[in-house]
Each structure stands twice: as structure tokens, then as C-alpha cells.
Amino acid sequence: MYHDTRDASKRVSFRTAVMQGMDPATGGLYMPDEIPSLPKSFLSRNLVPSFRDIAFETAKPFVGDEIPEDELMAIIADAYPFTAPIAPIDPTTYVLELFHGPTCAFKDFGARFMARTMSYFNRSETDSLHILVATSGDTGSAVGSAFHGVPGIDVTILYPRGKISPLQEKQLSTFEGNVRALSVEGTFDDCQKLVKTAFTDEALRGRLRLSSANSINISRLLPQSFYYTYGALLIRDRGRYDNDIDSPSLIVTVPSGNFGNLTSGLIARKMGAPIRGFIAATNSNRTVPDWLAGGSYRARPSVSTLSNAMDVGAPSNWERMNALYSLDEARRLIAGYWLDDAGTMEAIRQCNDRTGYIIDPHGAVAWRAWDDIRSGAMAALLEGKVVPPLSSGLVGTAATAPEWARDCAEKKCVGLILETAHPSKFGETVREAIGREPSIPERLERVMNLPDRSQSMANDYAQFRDWLLANLG
Ligand SMILES: *Cc1c(COP(=O)(O)O)cnc(C)c1O
């Protein structure tokens, strides 16, 4: 069973949690009542299980008897014709490449599982299901691509006009048929607010069956935990060939915006993935690092940066992190780090100079955070040298440092960087940093030549509602 983060007495099935997205009455998000453990025998197999086997074992307890095992396996096989390969870039640093799906971003992992799960649950319905999704960049294309052509379901994507890259815009505005795009005069937070308002509009819900597809949907969150477990087991398996640290602590660095990805990591760790801790790496939208360092949560308007898929000032999934862990517990696990645009450019360049790896601006934020923390920032923090609040870096004090801080200062950690997008999706930024453009996968090149079909929308709820009623239903 699942419960509402704002009213724990409201409990729903997996099906309801998936189909509703969030609780329309409270605006709360759904969380599983219990995070089950993966069997020890499964986690300690000599041969690392395949990505699909990990996906199946992880999903099974969350789905219960609501989807039969053979159907669940079919959903997973259909969702993941690709996996998440690991690239070692130095003896203690690995990159988990999450861009091998159709839209070249990590959101394919969540969106494809969600689309197939919803389609399974929607089989018995007669009315269409309308999915509303606000995107700051990559969500829209991943969700559009995942649902494109799925019968009985249509998708409306809202994105902030002029605030996403031209390629990202092409990727979400060129669908035909059941996937539409609205370019909104406003920020990502405005788009998200329009969607949230629609969900709490009872009159509208009486006329349209609405659902969400943002990372607030539990069926997008759960599958993102698959690759944490997969990556952690692969590193445990091969680590001894790469370095001579005895039982290193694995620290996963997550480039974060709305904090769905990091929340999925927390779930994987609770289930038994061999992960010691996390680094929450953000751009100048530093709401969560500031919460970890200062103890008070202050949502704020988002600011535009080079890593624009992380431009979120009021991250929805903070509510879930808070449901999983108290502030003190979160501090023991997670270090907070933020990086401005100048630092991001420099990180893309240095990562390439030092390792030969071409990393995108989101991954670059994570790489810099890990590299900085392992090579002195954490040791300095423990010695009482505090980062001044106005410059980028590790935030907090010795008192708020995670419990793995000492391991890190003593060089007993290895790092896993989540690379959330293919660098060619941010080709211009990468070219400016390293002097050449990364090669473009064919699946991206194709979409560049399709006509834009998006429609304009004011940042105005009444207009948005009228559009929905005129165009859907
Ligand atoms: C969405 C996105 C992120 C942020 O993920 P959250 O789950 O929102 O924290 C990071 N990088 C890329 C490329 C993204 O598309």
C-alpha cells in the first residue's frame, strides 16, 4: 500500500497511486508504506544479475499482486531494450551513463516504465486518460516518447518558452497524434503550478480523467532505483581491479533539480544496494544543499543556468526525502554541493583534460562535486574550514557532515557520477568548454529535421483550463 505524504491516513493501492499521480485532495505525493529489502542471496550473487533481473526483483514487491509476474517481466523487457553502462574514468571514479534510451536522457528509465504500467492499468477503462506534464527540459521528451502511440492515453507537455535548448524543444514539440506541447510564457515553476492547479480543480476533474507524469508519479520514481542497484553491484564486482582500496565506500553523486533521481537512490539504498552515501549536487538553484547545511527549507524562484534541467527552486520530491528521513538522518547520508555556471564550464573542460571523458553540463556539476569533495573539500570541512556562503562548493560544517566524511577524507571512497544526459544534447555549451562538439547519436539527429508543432500558452490558469476543455475530452 501507498500513503499520502501530507496525510498518512490516506492509503491507496499501487494502481491508484500510479493512475492519480498525486492526491487531488491534499496535493500530497504517494509513498510506499514500507520499503522492502532485496533478498541477501540476490544481492550477493557471484555473477552480477542483469539489469532486467534487478528491475524485476526491485519492482515486484512494490507492485504486489496488482500486476502478474509474467506481465511485469514483459513490461520491463519492453521498457528496457537498453541498460546503464559504467565508464571508469579514473581509478576511483565511475560514470553511470543513463543516456542510452531513445531521448538520450535518464528520464527514459522512469517514463518508459510508467507508460507501460499506466497502459496496463488503463486496459479496462473506456474514457481516455489525459496526462499533464510540466518540464524544465528533458521530462517532456522522455514522457512524450514513452507514451507516443499508446492507445487510450494522451499527453500534454508544458514547457517554459525560451528556457530550454533548441534541441530539447524539438524533442518535445515535434510529436504528432496523442502527444501535444504548450510553450508557456513563464518559468518551469509556473508550468508546474498550472499543472498542480489543474489537478486540484475538482470541476475540471469531473470532466476529464487527469494524471501526471512528472517525477511526482511513483511509477517514474521506483524504476530509477534499478540503475543505482545495478551500478553499485557492478562497481563492487570490478572495483578490486581498478584500485587497491579495501572495501571502499561507494558515494553516488546525483546532479539534482526536482530531486526525483536522488529520492530513487535513497530507495535503492534502503532496499540494500551497497551505497554508503550520496552527494546532492545542484547548480545555483541550491534549495536542498542550503536545507542540509542550514536546517531550514526555503523554496525560492528558480534561476536559469547552463544545466537547465536542474533549474528548480522548489523541488517537489523534497517532500518525499523528508518522508523517508529526518533532517539529521539526511545529513548523515547526504552531502550538499552547488556549482555556478562558470564552475560548470570549467568542470566540463577539466573533466575532459584530465580523463578524456566528454561530460554534459549536468554530469559536470556532479563530477566537480565528487572531485572537489574527495580531493580536499571534505577534509577541510571536517577541520572547520567553512565555505563562504556566496561561492560555489561543499556546504555545511563539521557538525552537519555526513557519516562517511571521514572515509572520504582518508581516501577510502570510490565515486559514481550519474551522467543524466548525452553531451550532444548540450553541444554548444560543451563546444565552448572544450573546443569541439561531441558526436550526435542518430536518434537525436533525426528529430532536428521535424517541424515544430507546439502551441503558445499564457501563464494563466483560466486560459490553460479552457484550452484543456476545448482540446481534450
Ligand atoms: C531532470 C534532469 C535532472 C534532474 O533530475 P531530478 O530527478 O529532477 O533531480 C538532471 N539532469 C538531467 C539531464 C535531467 O534531465
Side-chain angles (χ1 to χ4, degrees), residues 40-313:
K40 285 236 158 50
S41 57
F42 182 76
L43 290 168
S44 59
R45 278 191 197 165
N46 277 335
L47 209 59
V48 175
S50 69
F51 181 81
R52 284 184 192 178
D53 284 348
I54 289 174
F56 180 73
E57 286 295 325
T58 306
K60 205 170 50 171
F62 290 106
V63 166
D65 58 8
E66 296 183 57
I67 302 178
E69 289 198 358
D70 56 335
E71 297 274 3
L72 180 61
M73 197 35 130
I75 287 172
I76 286 167
D78 193 49
Y80 305 117
F82 54 91
T83 68
I86 281 208
I89 60 169
D90 71 39
T92 56
T93 307
Y94 302 87
V95 174
L96 187 63
E97 295 185 339
L98 300 175
F99 54 69
H100 292 274
T103 72
C104 300
F106 90 95
K107 293 186 176 73
D108 285 328
F109 282 92
R112 292 177 65 83
F113 183 83
M114 176 180 63
R116 283 151 188 78
T117 307
M118 281 189 167
S119 171
Y120 175 82
F121 285 135
N122 202 52
R123 280 184 199 175
S124 50
E125 301 289 339
T126 45
D127 288 340
S128 285
L129 184 67
H130 306 290
I131 296 195
L132 305 182
V133 50
T135 182
S136 58
D138 285 334
T139 304
S141 51
V143 170
S145 154
F147 280 98
H148 193 222
V150 171
I153 302 186
D154 60 52
V155 176
T156 302
I157 302 166
L158 288 80
Y159 67 95
R161 185 178 315 157
K163 294 199 169 62
I164 68 177
S165 77
L167 174 60
Q168 284 178 322
E169 185 162 19
K170 275 282 181 190
Q171 278 194 296
L172 53 79
S173 65
T174 55
F175 293 108
E176 283 183 274
N178 67 330
V179 179
R180 303 173 182 86
L182 298 177
S183 84
V184 175
E185 279 165 43
T187 62
F188 167 65
D189 290 335
D190 295 328
C191 296
Q192 208 173 27
K193 203 158 161 217
L194 288 174
V195 168
K196 283 196 175 181
T197 310
F199 284 129
T200 48
D201 180 343
E202 302 248 346
L204 183 72
R205 290 191 79 109
R207 298 177 57 185
L208 298 173
R209 274 181 73 221
L210 297 181
S211 189
S212 74
N214 278 79
S215 51
I216 55 178
N217 193 301
I218 193 74
S219 69
R220 269 192 57 193
L221 206 70
L222 293 176
Q224 291 173 177
S225 65
F226 305 162
Y227 51 72
Y228 281 89
T229 304
Y230 182 61
L233 292 179
L234 283 179
I235 290 172
R236 192 179 63 186
D237 187 53
R238 65 163 291 162
R240 60 180 170 275
Y241 305 109
D242 296 325
N243 57 67
D244 49 20
I245 307 171
D246 193 28
S247 316
S249 297
L250 177 63
I251 307 303
V252 184
T253 307
V254 189
S256 295
N258 211 22
F259 280 83
N261 204 359
L262 184 62
T263 304
S264 302
L266 295 173
I267 291 173
R269 185 179 180 279
K270 272 208 165 185
M271 294 184 79
I275 296 170
R276 183 77 204 280
F278 298 90
I279 299 169
T282 70
N283 56 31
S284 298
N285 293 281
R286 44 192 280 207
T287 305
V288 169
D290 283 355
W291 166 64
L292 289 166
S296 62
Y297 178 81
R298 203 165 52 81
R300 49 200 100 163
S302 57
V303 297
S304 301
T305 74
L306 292 173
S307 48
N308 62 37
M310 313 193 323
D311 292 350
V312 184

Side-chain angles (χ1 to χ4, degrees), residues 377-409:
M378 191 56 90
L381 190 82
L382 292 176
E383 284 162 20
K385 294 182 194 134
V386 184
V387 178
L390 285 178
S391 75
S392 294
L394 174 65
V395 295
T397 62
T400 66
E403 56 190 10
W404 48 266
R406 181 93 18 226
D407 292 0
C408 195

Side-chain angles (χ1 to χ4, degrees), residues 31 35 262-263 265-271 278 291 318-334:
M31 275 300 274
I35 310 280
L262 184 62
T263 304
L266 295 173
I267 291 173
R269 185 179 180 279
K270 272 208 165 185
M271 294 184 79
F278 298 90
W291 166 64
W318 176 75
E319 212 161 304
R320 281 202 172 104
M321 293 169 68
N322 215 27
L324 283 169
Y325 292 113
S326 68
L327 172 64
D328 280 343
E329 290 168 331
R331 281 173 166 169
R332 263 175 251 150
L333 271 183
I334 310 167

